Amino acid sequence: MVEKVITLENVSLVDFLGPDNQNIRQLAAAFPGSKIISRGNEIKIQGQTPVIQRINDILSSLIEHYHEYGQVTDKTVAQYVGASDEELQDAKLASSPDVILFGAKGGVIKAKTANQQRLVDAVNKNDLVFALGPAGTGKTYISVALAVRALKNKEVKKIIISRPVVEAGESLGFLPGDMKEKVDPYLRPIYDALEDMLPPEKFKFYLENKTIEIAPLAYMRGRTLNHAFVLLDEAQNTTPSQLKMFLTRMGPNAKVMVNGDRSQVDLPTKIKSGLFQALDILRDVPGIGFVEMSAEDVVRHRLVKQIVLAYDKHDADQERAQRERPVRPARYYQPGQRPEEGRGDDDTTATGLPVNHEQE
């Protein structure tokens, strides 16, 4: 029989062990061939090597869970006892410094690509960060995770997330309901990300007391955003005046992220994107971070990366064809003279002026 001792550090024994050590007793009951004894801040495990390793993995995951949520319940113990070795390994990854936070169901949320990690590092170093990239690169998800982490770590007092309300190439006409019901469909991706990261009751509480605000961009005018993590998503659909208005809302101790996708501009053709203008104007301003993602960072279905690459190739081919298109020389004719009159073999009029065939 092998013995292992685990020392609990920076842990409230009541919150971790449960009333009357019920959590440890529940864990011991799941492994009847071993002994688990709790004395003070030490937990002693006795049993066969494979069993001890399994119990040690479960306890490590429970300790990480405690540091994230502040307590361990009997349901938590049951969840980790029934978890597979792979799921426990994922939980152990949470001790890694590149982990952003735990999801609502205990899953680990972390950067999955080099550029996603660059985005995390940029937010850590700068108060204003621009993140650009195609669909599926995790811009919104990573940004929301960073906002939730900042709130949990008490680095900010609230989270404010906004998007411009622009229809994606179609007119939906009149939408029934109050203002919230009209704009919520546009903000649904934000809700989905937050629901992955916060327990339902906590998320509802944050929304009700305005700790988390999710609003269309028009609601930002006139505000000063203090002690907040502020995220503007789909910024490619802002006008120059809208984006300038948003950026100048930045108050003391605020973190601001601006996300956009160069390939998905839904503004009317004659309106310039405020995001592209801001990138040109602010590129050399110190204290602002810029992260550009590519198709290689796509973390959705494997086909999404191929779709993005195919569209990029098509756009590049179209642009190249436009540049290589031959330009016909301009031809002129005198006022009152029909283009075909006086045209010679060299396409000139009797006066020697070239004829403009484009106007025939």
Side-chain angles (χ1 to χ4, degrees), residues 183-213:
V183 301
D184 270 1
Y186 296 94
L187 304 170
R188 189 66 249 174
I190 305 296
Y191 285 102
D192 290 341
L194 286 167
E195 287 169 358
D196 275 355
M197 300 169 194
L198 293 168
E201 301 81 8
K202 197 76 169 177
F203 182 33
K204 182 180 179 181
F205 172 75
Y206 282 152
L207 288 176
E208 289 176 348
N209 70 1
K210 302 297 184 180
T211 299
I212 294 179
E213 291 185 49

Side-chain angles (χ1 to χ4, degrees), residues 17 21 42 46 115 142-143 145 150 164-165 186 194 197 203 255 264 270 286 319 324 334-335 356-357:
L17 302 176
N21 288 353
E42 291 186 345
Q46 297 176 341
N115 279 331
I142 292 294
S143 301
V165 177
Y186 296 94
L194 286 167
M197 300 169 194
F203 182 33
K255 284 273 190 182
Q264 294 190 358
K270 295 182 180 180
E319 184 177 346
E324 296 173 354
Q334 292 179 332
N356 186 355
H357 292 300

Side-chain angles (χ1 to χ4, degrees), residues 25 81 83 109-111 116 120 132 148 154 161 170-171 205 210 231 303 353:
R25 289 191 285 109
V81 167
I109 298 174
K110 59 186 296 186
Q116 286 188 0
V120 174
L132 288 92
V148 173
K154 302 187 185 305
I161 304 177
E170 56 185 326
S171 179
F205 172 75
K210 302 297 184 180
L231 167 62
L303 285 177
L353 295 174

Side-chain angles (χ1 to χ4, degrees), residues 130 240-241 243-244 247 272-286 288 290:
F130 287 83
S241 61
L243 189 54
K244 180 182 177 182
L247 293 176
K272 184 177 180 179
S273 170
L275 175 62
F276 303 153
Q277 183 193 67
L279 293 175
D280 293 335
I281 295 173
L282 304 176
R283 179 63 66 179
D284 298 324
V285 176
I288 301 178
F290 299 88

